[in-house]
Amino acid sequence: MTLRPEDVFQLLADGKTRDAIAQMYGYKARRYLDQFMMRRGYQWSVEHETYVERETPKKKRRGHKVARVIEAFQAEPYGDPKRIAEALGFASAFEMAQYMQAHGYLWSNTARNYVTQERTQDTTSPSAEPDPPRETVSSEGESVSLPLGDALELLGMLVKHRAKLERLLLHTERGATDVPRYTIPGFSVVKSLHISVELDRLLRAASQAWRMSQREILEAAILEFLRKHGYEEVIHHLLTGRKQERTS
């Protein structure tokens, strides 16, 4: 006996249950009847207590702004993400990445552009390991994960200021800095102090750039401050008899 969807609807209208209909047509359980109806475009509705037509999700149309982002990277695969984002009205590359993700697009390093999430999933083998998170190394040597948008914005900034960075690195490599270094006589004592997080970041960055210890920077800063605020003679006597300043 051949089963048709029309037969199922008629039997349901006559008061038959899904279990009864499934047994009538040789199914062991009603879920097999559900599968039969699903293959023919119907799904069970608890609200209507019958099968209804399945709603197929509408394919998202590519928005005008999404298309502009994709076209921009097609024209400049290695363009500055921050510049492209600002040109398209975004506050940052991170905001652009969030916008694209909300519309179903993710950044692809292979395509050098945003692609649909479905395409990303289809081109990835089920057994393949997931892509490792993008990481950078902090001044303390610890790995820090960066969101895609931040990584793109940072990369764009580095590319934009490449010449300045090269000059700075060459300057630092030669040790050519006019920051004074003092050799202070006497014994050392331990001092603990609390400073803001931002000031701590600046101190660490300066220490790395100038190749000076944080202690040397703090000592130089204290001496310069006292010298400018009434203690010049005291500082002079403190350093008398020794080479007062040595630049690296």
Side-chain angles (χ1 to χ4, degrees):
M1 185 166 50
T2 304
L3 177 63
R4 301 175 303 171
E6 294 82 356
D7 299 328
V8 176
F9 286 118
Q10 184 60 52
L11 290 170
L12 287 170
D14 293 342
K16 299 288 185 180
T17 65
R18 282 187 290 166
D19 292 312
I21 298 172
Q23 290 179 1
M24 287 174 59
Y25 287 90
Y27 292 119
K28 294 181 179 180
R30 67 183 181 187
R31 68 173 180 272
Y32 298 111
L33 178 64
D34 291 342
Q35 292 175 3
F36 168 82
M37 295 298 286
M38 286 183 69
R39 288 194 295 271
R40 283 152 182 79
Y42 298 95
Q43 64 184 10
W44 180 257
S45 170
V46 177
E47 180 182 355
H48 298 92
E49 296 185 348
T50 187
Y51 290 99
V52 297
E53 289 186 0
R54 293 177 60 190
E55 294 182 1
T56 55
K58 295 181 180 180
K59 189 174 182 180
K60 292 183 179 179
R61 293 181 60 188
R62 181 185 293 181
H64 178 63
K65 201 165 188 177
V66 170
R68 289 179 62 195
V69 172
I70 294 174
E71 289 169 1
F73 281 103
Q74 285 176 342
E76 297 183 78
Y78 292 90
D80 180 0
K82 183 178 180 182
R83 177 180 55 77
I84 292 175
E86 292 176 350
L88 295 175
F90 296 100
S92 65
F94 178 57
E95 182 180 304
M96 179 174 64
Q98 287 184 313
Y99 176 86
M100 295 297 287
Q101 185 173 357
H103 286 77
Y105 289 82
L106 294 174
W107 178 259
S108 168
N109 286 327
T110 303
R112 298 297 307 170
N113 208 329
Y114 287 95
V115 299
T116 59
Q117 295 186 33
E118 292 82 1
R119 176 180 165 187
T120 304
Q121 293 168 357
D122 291 342
T123 55
T124 303
S125 172
S127 61
E129 292 294 330
D131 292 336
R134 295 166 179 81
E135 296 183 341
T136 184
V137 180
S138 69
S139 59
E140 297 298 316
E142 298 176 354
S143 294
V144 180
S145 296
L146 281 178
L148 172 61
D150 287 350
L152 289 174
E153 189 168 357
L154 177 60
L155 178 60
M157 184 181 66
L158 292 174
V159 172
K160 183 178 180 180
H161 300 286
R162 178 178 177 179
K164 292 182 180 178
L165 288 170
E166 287 178 348
R167 288 197 299 269
L168 177 61
L169 291 173
L170 290 172
H171 185 76
T172 303
E173 286 296 327
R174 297 189 191 104
T177 174
D178 57 357
V179 178
R181 303 192 185 200
Y182 297 93
T183 301
I184 303 173
F187 296 99
S188 298
V189 294
V190 178
K191 301 288 287 186
S192 61
L193 70 158
H194 295 275
I195 59 177
S196 71
V197 174
E198 293 301 323
L199 187 57
D200 177 62
R201 288 177 181 171
L202 286 173
L203 182 60
R204 292 172 186 270
S207 175
Q208 186 177 21
W210 296 335
R211 294 192 173 184
M212 294 174 64
S213 68
Q214 295 181 32
R215 171 184 168 179
E216 288 178 312
I217 295 175
L218 289 173
E219 286 179 346
I222 292 171
L223 289 173
E224 290 295 325
F225 180 85
L226 293 175
R227 176 179 287 170
K228 291 180 181 180
H229 293 82
Y231 287 85
E232 184 175 1
E233 189 175 347
V234 177
I235 299 300
H236 175 73
H237 287 303
L238 176 65
L239 301 175
T240 298
R242 293 176 177 267
K243 188 177 181 179
Q244 295 184 18
E245 295 184 7
R246 53 182 177 87
T247 56
S248 58

